[in-house]
Amino acid sequence: MKSPDQKEFLHMASKEVTITVRLIRSFEHRNFKPVVYHGVNLDQTVKEFILFLKQDKLKIIHQAHKSKTNEIVMSLEDDDRLLLKEDSTLKASGIANETEIAFFCEEDYRNYKANPLSSW
């Protein structure tokens, strides 16, 4: 049996998916709360989803069937690839069913990335 190529797979993918959003309160104190959202429309823009969540930045933490980071809160690497651009749709940004993303204050992230010390 022939396996579907990526274009066929994307066509079969549902427009509404379940994703986990890691609401990050503090990088320094490693304080976050995972919240599961069902029925998320992948055709909405990242900016529309950000307005729904009421924070200011999103970054992919983990995608189903791919490797995970060892960082407790969020990886500090690959920002150019994993930080979501507001004018893209969730689908174009790489969000699929069971993707886990982080939601955080961009200024807090930049400060923590410049000096990644934990308080515990």
Side-chain angles (χ1 to χ4, degrees):
M1 184 163 149
K2 185 177 138 184
S3 65
D5 63 18
Q6 184 159 347
K7 190 173 183 179
E8 289 173 342
F9 178 75
L10 289 175
H11 181 70
M12 294 185 307
S14 171
K15 286 187 177 185
E16 290 193 350
V17 298
T18 297
I19 61 172
T20 301
V21 177
R22 197 177 277 195
L23 302 172
I24 300 175
R25 296 178 186 145
S26 169
F27 290 97
E28 182 181 351
H29 298 285
R30 298 179 176 179
N31 187 343
F32 64 90
K33 177 182 180 178
V35 179
V36 177
Y37 290 94
H38 300 281
V40 176
N41 184 342
L42 291 177
D43 289 329
Q44 69 181 308
T45 64
V46 170
K47 185 171 188 166
E48 290 170 332
F49 195 60
I50 286 173
L51 291 173
F52 169 72
L53 296 174
K54 297 179 176 67
Q55 269 287 3
D56 74 352
K57 205 64 174 176
L58 291 170
K59 183 176 179 178
I60 294 174
I61 297 290
H62 171 71
Q63 292 174 312
H65 313 294
K66 295 189 179 177
S67 61
K68 288 188 175 188
T69 179
N70 288 330
E71 291 289 331
I72 291 176
V73 177
M74 181 175 78
S75 169
L76 301 178
E77 303 190 10
D78 295 325
D79 286 350
D80 56 329
R81 186 173 60 86
L82 298 176
L83 282 172
L84 306 186
K85 294 168 183 54
E86 288 187 1
D87 57 343
S88 290
T89 64
L90 295 175
K91 183 190 283 184
S93 299
I95 304 296
N97 195 40
E98 297 183 11
T99 297
E100 186 173 339
I101 59 178
F103 199 47
F104 52 92
C105 175
E106 186 174 10
E107 183 180 349
D108 292 347
Y109 176 64
R110 277 196 230 124
N111 291 337
Y112 181 73
K113 190 171 180 179
N115 188 20
L117 297 176
S118 296
S119 292
W120 63 282

